[in-house]
């Protein structure tokens, strides 16, 4: 098996994209990256992990109404006035993800704008996972023990945030099929079939 590749998974809330990614990682015996990236970026930068978590989950949405933060692929060093800015935190996460790719270790990453950050690299399969509203709502109701109306509000709020976050930091449209190699509907295909399709896509691109 060729050992230098990555798979990125973008997913709508409740679509089981994270679970699909875990199963792909297990099937291919490769590294699974999700929240771990925050601690890795903290170690790389020396910035408290809590700040990365805040940026990841609840950046003040007023900044999304400003012009897009142009992604540079470079980080600010300590002492720079923007060292603790949301933009620099994003840059550090991006740097860590690129460094992992360049290390030659195969991995799958959930979210983190992975499809954009790794777009320049050749050995990458970029996947988007979504599902029907009913499927997502039922999943979120079960996971969080909340009502249907609460689940719908949470899904709408989270997906909007992911869209605005992606747009602000990358300048591209989150969920646009043109940004991905493979777009899957987990509610119609099922989790295991999605796993098989991702693995097959990696084989078709010559990564396995």
């Amino acid at each position: 098996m060729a050992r230098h590749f990555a798979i990125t998974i973008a997913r709508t809330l409740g679509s089981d994209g994270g679970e699909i990614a875990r199963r792909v990682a297990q099937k291919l015996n490769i590294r699974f990256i999700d929240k771990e990236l925050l601690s890795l970026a903290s170690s790389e930068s020396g910035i408290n992990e809590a700040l990365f978590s805040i940026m990841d989950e609840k950046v003040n949405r007023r900044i999304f109404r400003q012009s897009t933060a142009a992604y540079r692929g470079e980080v600010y060093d300590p002492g720079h006035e923007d060292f603790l800015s949301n933009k620099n935190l994003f840059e550090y996460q991006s740097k860590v993800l690129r460094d992992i790719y360049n290390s030659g270790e195969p991995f799958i990453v959930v979210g983190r704008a992975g499809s954009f950050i790794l777009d320049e690299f050749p050995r990458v399969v970029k996947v988007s996972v979504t599902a029907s509203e009913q499927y997502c709502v039922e999943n979120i109701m079960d996971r969080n023990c909340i009502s249907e109306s609460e689940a719908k509000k949470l899904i709408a709020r989270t997906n909007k945030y992911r869209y605005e976050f992606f747009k602000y930091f990358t300048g591209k449209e989150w969920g646009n099929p043109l940004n991905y190699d493979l777009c899957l509907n987990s509610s119609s295909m099922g989790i295991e079939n999605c796993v098989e399709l991702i693995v097959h896509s990696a084989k078709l691109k010559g990564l396995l």
Side-chain angles (χ1 to χ4, degrees):
M1 178 187 294
R3 301 304 297 168
H4 190 251
F5 68 91
I7 300 171
T8 73
I9 305 289
R11 77 284 184 230
T12 54
L13 186 65
S15 65
D16 281 324
E19 177 62 22
I20 290 168
R22 287 188 186 88
R23 296 192 189 188
V24 171
Q26 291 172 356
K27 188 176 184 67
L28 297 180
N29 192 28
I30 61 176
R31 185 175 182 179
F32 172 85
I33 300 175
D34 188 359
K35 294 287 187 180
E36 175 194 6
L37 187 61
L38 306 183
S39 61
L40 293 173
S42 175
S43 297
E44 171 77 18
S45 64
I47 299 173
N48 192 307
E49 184 177 343
L51 293 179
F52 285 97
S53 296
I54 290 172
M55 185 203 70
D56 184 55
E57 298 175 356
K58 47 188 175 185
V59 172
N60 189 320
R61 294 174 72 167
R62 284 180 295 181
I63 74 167
F64 294 152
R65 294 194 287 271
Q66 302 172 10
S67 59
T68 299
Y71 173 72
R72 301 176 304 124
E74 300 176 358
V75 296
Y76 294 124
D77 295 324
H80 192 284
E81 62 180 355
D82 290 324
F83 179 61
L84 296 179
S85 67
N86 287 311
K87 181 179 182 299
N88 202 40
L89 297 177
F90 179 79
E91 296 274 3
Y92 263 109
Q93 287 189 62
S94 303
K95 179 181 183 301
V96 169
L97 203 57
R98 295 196 309 273
D99 287 347
I100 295 172
Y101 179 91
N102 286 324
S103 76
E105 178 182 12
F107 65 93
I108 186 167
V109 59
V110 178
R112 320 297 158 198
S115 61
F116 174 83
I117 300 306
L118 300 177
D119 186 52
E120 67 186 84
F121 297 110
R123 297 182 60 79
V124 178
V125 174
K126 296 169 291 182
V127 181
S128 173
V129 180
T130 188
S132 68
E133 181 183 36
Q134 181 181 357
Y135 183 93
C136 293
V137 168
E138 290 178 355
N139 268 345
I140 296 304
M141 288 174 64
D142 290 341
R143 293 177 195 171
N144 297 280
C145 297
I146 57 179
S147 67
E148 180 178 356
S149 62
E150 290 173 321
K152 287 182 177 180
K153 290 178 182 178
L154 178 58
I155 290 170
R157 183 170 65 249
T158 301
N159 287 341
K160 183 178 181 182
Y161 179 83
R162 289 176 178 174
Y163 176 90
E164 292 176 341
F165 181 100
F166 193 87
K167 178 70 172 179
Y168 178 75
F169 286 109
T170 73
K172 294 187 177 293
E173 304 290 328
W174 181 70
N176 183 338
L178 294 177
N179 294 331
Y180 308 98
D181 301 306
L182 180 66
C183 297
L184 298 171
N185 182 338
S186 57
S187 56
S188 63
M189 294 302 299
I191 292 177
E192 282 304 319
N193 284 334
C194 287
V195 170
E196 293 301 322
L197 285 168
I198 293 171
V199 172
H200 186 60
S201 294
K203 291 179 179 177
L204 289 175
K205 289 197 74 172
L207 308 187
L208 303 178

